[in-house]
Amino acid sequence: MATGFMKGLYRTVKDKDANISFLWKAIGVFMRVSGEPLLAKPARIMAEHQPERTNELLLIIEKCGINKLSSKNEVKRVLAGEKVDMREPTGLQDLEVLPVGQ
């Protein structure tokens, strides 16, 4: 990604299970960075079910981008296997605002 957001989280995925696994990780990162709960489920996103939940995810992606929030610490936590409760707000923890262009 040009913004560097979620750098290191994504690996080339070629099958459904790998895509679902990536989406779980991405949702975890976005929840941690934004501090907002997400109820989107990767299998439902891929099946194009519950578009309102997918829209919630997209709005949080936008929020993180507009506010130039860093995901560096949260990617490390998610890759280390740290779980997050998808229904509870996490609070804006370990946030680092990046200057434009980084």
Side-chain angles (χ1 to χ4, degrees), residues 28-44:
V29 168
F30 282 111
M31 271 197 62
R32 288 178 179 281
V33 172
S34 72
E36 296 185 26
L38 275 170
L39 297 175
K41 303 234 181 322
R44 296 225 179 242

